[in-house]
Amino acid sequence: MGALYRYDEFDHAFVNARVAEFRDQVQRRIKGDITEEEFKSLRLMNGVYLQLHAYMLRIAVPYGTLSSKQLRTLATIGRRWDRHYGHFTTRQNLQFNWIALKDVPDVLQALADVEMHAIQTSGNCMRNVTADHFAGAAADEVADPRVYAEIMRQWSTAHPELSYLPRKFKVAITGAEEDRAAVKVHDIGYQIVRNEAGEIGFRVFVGGGQGRTPMVGKALRDFLPEADLLTYTEAIMRVYNLEGRRDNKYKARIKILVHEKGLDSIREEVEAEFERIRDGALKLTPDSVAAMQQYFVAGPFETIGQTPVFDKAKAKDADFAHWVSVNVHAHKQPGYGIATISLKPIGGIPGDASSDQMDLVADLADRYSLGEIRISHLQNLVLPHVKLDDLPALFAALQDAGLATANEGLITDIIACPGLDYCSLANARAIPIAQGLSERFGSPARQAEIGSLPIKISGCINACGHHHVAAIGILGVDRKGVENYQITLGGSAREDCSIGELVGPGFGADGIVDAVEKVVDTYLGLRLSPQETFLEAVRRVGLPPFKEALYGQRA
């Protein structure tokens, strides 16, 4: 079977107690015994938001790992209590946008029955700890980051010192040199590394984030020993809790503290606190890490030499060969691959999956991927352990379900937040813009010509669509009651992390797709070769050619 953490007695008791507690709170709200204002903090502690049209429930998927049983439960929730679909987010969570308040306790109980919850998916606490969606499978992995993400989840859940922080706090962990978890745009990012002695440890980044003031995280430590992970994190959190701004929510994130005090000053304070507590109860022992690692041992894998079915299918079926070249990645086990299931069909809504599709993916995971599914922060699903010879059958099943779009990392693999179609904070719609761009660039030949070009769209400055770190970022703003879309170029969420630069004045909803096409055509005209990516070209030539294409001589 797949590699998943299983709840212990404490986990079960804790989550079930929270469900019972919230059931009572919901009943009191419905009866009118408490006001919406009094209820707000209680519902947010359980992942319940009040959106434009209805309540929204945000469900935690720790480090993006799901079992087939858990995914089937999510499908059932969508079918029974929502509108037959869910929305996978950039935080490896799932959101249901049409949940009735009276049904939320039953939904939470259904989640608890399969070892899931919605705790700490909102509020000024440590949110869902995210990780590389290829964790435990990637050929380039130093170590499985989910081991440490689960250790951190257990430590941080309902931690009294982490429950009322100055602002929400996000942590990501990647297990490879290639950053697939966007660790440099998190409050704390951990990259697993080995030192010269071959020992496991972490490179620590602090002060990254997007939103109103986007910043790239700074290296706080080049090597933190494995044993000190929780102790060092607690030291950072204590400094932040003590000094983080509570008078201004726009300046309350740790990135502002790092910026205002300076990295060296923050490092000095963190290291002093770390020295004071480093030999305390939070120190990880080899036995405790080894015990957790046992939960994340996938398999058993078969010993595979030849892959005749896979090789024959690639030679005979051009569509299959193309899908493999785009959506399948190298696995650490010979004869296996990591298959991405795109939730970005041409003209579709990024990140949405119907209940029927969730059920199908759960079935395919049981059949082909040891019962295991991943959610990527790019709003796609992943089957992490597929035999190469099973890929043709998997592809055929995905084709039948409309889930075989071969566009991972290409221009139509667009990240988009729910925007003004759902979110009460949004200033502009994001979904229709994503659909328009997807349709404009939907031709497989056009996508292949363009190559790697991530587009990310946010409907407001909070940047849930990660537009700051997109090769082409789009931010929707309100200009005197009219939707206006600004373009940024040159961002990246990877190991070469950078914040995109604003090109110039924005465009209306009826002009933004044309504007992006001008940007893309300009790139195709100036790149040195088809191998030079859009991001590389922007970094080489800067913004002037794109400004001229968009605005003419007034640029």
Side-chain angles (χ1 to χ4, degrees):
M1 66 167 290
L4 293 129
Y5 175 75
R6 270 87 69 196
Y7 277 14
D8 61 18
E9 289 182 6
F10 173 84
D11 290 321
H12 281 292
F14 175 77
V15 173
N16 280 289
R18 281 291 292 265
V19 173
E21 178 185 63
F22 191 56
R23 188 181 296 277
D24 177 66
Q25 292 165 349
V26 168
Q27 289 171 350
R28 285 191 285 143
R29 173 69 192 108
I30 290 172
K31 290 177 183 177
D33 294 342
I34 54 177
T35 66
E36 175 58 38
E37 190 59 34
E38 292 169 329
F39 181 58
K40 181 178 179 180
S41 63
L42 304 176
R43 63 173 169 78
L44 290 175
M45 289 174 65
N46 292 279
V48 182
Y49 289 73
L50 186 56
Q51 297 282 71
L52 277 178
H53 313 294
Y55 285 102
M56 178 268 281
L57 177 64
R58 179 182 292 155
I59 295 165
V61 184
Y63 36 87
T65 295
L66 281 169
S67 69
S68 57
K69 182 178 181 180
Q70 289 171 332
L71 186 56
R72 285 192 191 91
T73 295
L74 295 176
T76 299
I77 290 169
R79 194 175 285 117
R80 181 175 177 185
W81 288 295
D82 204 276
R83 296 187 177 179
H84 295 258
Y85 78 97
H87 176 73
F88 291 98
T89 78
T90 53
R91 190 114 213 105
Q92 296 180 317
N93 292 317
L94 179 71
Q95 293 180 179
F96 287 111
N97 291 310
W98 302 98
I99 296 286
L101 181 60
K102 67 179 177 61
D103 294 328
V104 172
D106 289 338
V107 174
L108 294 180
Q109 188 58 61
L111 292 170
D113 291 343
V114 292
E115 303 187 350
M116 297 185 73
H117 60 73
I119 298 165
Q120 292 183 196
T121 59
S122 178
N124 295 338
C125 59
M126 187 177 286
R127 300 287 185 89
N128 187 36
V129 178
T130 58
D132 179 357
H133 43 276
F134 293 167
D140 62 344
E141 185 173 82
V142 176
D144 191 334
R146 297 174 303 160
V147 173
Y148 306 99
E150 176 58 32
I151 288 171
M152 192 164 289
R153 182 196 70 83
Q154 294 187 21
W155 163 74
S156 64
T157 301
H159 189 309
E161 212 169 337
L162 306 183
S163 297
Y164 298 97
L165 296 169
R167 198 73 171 85
K168 59 185 176 182
F169 204 93
K170 298 177 180 179
V171 177
I173 308 175
T174 189
E177 187 172 334
E178 182 180 345
D179 180 8
R180 290 178 287 262
V183 298
K184 292 183 182 178
V185 283
H186 281 74
D187 296 284
I188 302 176
Y190 288 108
Q191 179 191 1
I192 301 174
V193 293
R194 290 187 186 274
N195 63 12
E196 293 180 356
E199 299 165 324
I200 290 284
F202 305 90
R203 185 172 292 129
V204 186
F205 299 94
V206 68
Q210 298 185 64
R212 190 173 297 268
T213 311
M215 293 185 180
V216 176
K218 298 175 174 61
L220 193 64
R221 250 204 186 216
D222 287 330
F223 187 82
L224 176 73
E226 176 187 72
D228 296 323
L229 174 65
L230 292 186
T231 314
Y232 200 77
T233 306
E234 178 134 317
I236 295 172
M237 302 308 297
R238 287 186 178 184
V239 171
Y240 170 57
N241 218 355
L242 182 65
E243 300 188 36
R245 297 278 295 271
R246 283 184 161 85
D247 61 324
N248 184 334
K249 72 175 183 178
Y250 301 118
K251 296 184 178 181
R253 300 293 290 269
I254 195 172
K255 63 187 177 185
I256 303 298
L257 182 64
V258 173
H259 177 72
E260 291 184 346
K261 294 204 70 170
L263 181 64
D264 290 340
S265 177
I266 292 296
R267 182 185 290 117
E268 186 177 321
E269 292 183 46
V270 169
E271 291 289 341
E273 180 63 21
F274 174 57
E275 285 300 322
R276 194 178 70 78
I277 63 174
R278 71 180 303 170
D279 294 319
L282 291 180
K283 200 173 191 73
L284 301 180
T285 65
D287 287 346
S288 65
V289 175
M292 186 61 71
Q293 286 171 335
Q294 292 305 305
Y295 286 111
F296 296 98
V297 177
F301 293 112
E302 296 180 16
T303 301
I304 297 174
Q306 303 298 313
T307 53
V309 177
F310 173 68
D311 297 336
K312 183 178 180 181
K314 274 212 304 180
K316 290 186 65 175
D317 184 344
D319 289 340
F320 172 69
H322 176 59
W323 178 77
V324 168
S325 70
V326 176
N327 284 41
V328 178
H329 297 264
H331 198 286
K332 63 184 179 182
Q333 185 72 18
Y336 285 76
I338 305 168
T340 294
I341 300 173
S342 172
L343 295 183
K344 320 289 178 57
I346 303 305
I349 299 174
D352 277 11
S354 71
S355 290
D356 288 348
Q357 288 174 328
M358 286 188 242
D359 274 334
L360 173 71
V361 172
D363 291 345
L364 295 175
D366 280 338
R367 198 176 309 156
Y368 301 120
S369 186
L370 305 177
E372 192 172 332
I373 306 101
R374 305 289 175 74
I375 303 170
S376 78
H377 79 276
L378 306 169
Q379 296 179 291
N380 292 318
L381 300 180
V382 176
L383 297 183
H385 310 297
V386 184
K387 294 178 192 173
L388 295 181
D389 273 352
D390 284 339
L391 283 172
L394 171 63
F395 177 67
L398 293 173
Q399 276 186 312
D400 290 342
L403 288 169
T405 310
N407 65 347
E408 185 186 3
L410 301 181
I411 193 168
T412 62
D413 186 12
I414 299 168
I415 286 179
C417 72
L420 197 53
D421 286 303
Y422 296 97
C423 182
S424 56
L425 299 176
N427 304 120
R429 293 170 296 167
I431 290 170
I433 308 306
Q435 291 172 305
L437 287 167
S438 175
E439 289 165 348
R440 179 68 61 90
F441 295 103
S443 159
R446 187 87 195 277
Q447 293 186 71
E449 177 192 19
I450 295 166
S452 174
L453 206 172
I455 295 179
K456 305 177 185 181
I457 308 171
S458 299
C460 80
I461 197 66
N462 288 305
C464 294
H466 292 195
H467 69 277
H468 291 301
V469 288
I472 299 178
I474 300 172
L475 169 64
V477 298
D478 183 317
R479 286 282 160 82
K480 298 180 180 179
V482 178
E483 292 169 308
N484 187 268
Y485 295 89
Q486 300 174 348
I487 296 176
T488 56
L489 301 180
S492 171
R494 306 298 287 259
E495 56 276 7
D496 60 350
C497 187
S498 59
I499 305 299
E501 292 184 70
L502 182 65
V503 178
F507 299 85
D510 59 350
I512 183 62
V513 174
D514 289 339
V516 170
E517 187 166 38
K518 285 184 180 179
V519 169
V520 173
D521 287 343
T522 301
Y523 153 65
L524 293 176
L526 62 76
R527 67 183 179 183
L528 298 177
S529 74
Q531 285 68 49
E532 184 178 42
T533 66
F534 179 89
L535 187 58
E536 290 168 342
V538 170
R539 289 176 173 175
R540 176 173 57 83
V541 303
L543 297 188
F546 301 97
K547 287 185 175 183
E548 185 175 348
L550 289 171
Y551 308 109
Q553 295 305 311
R554 66 190 178 96

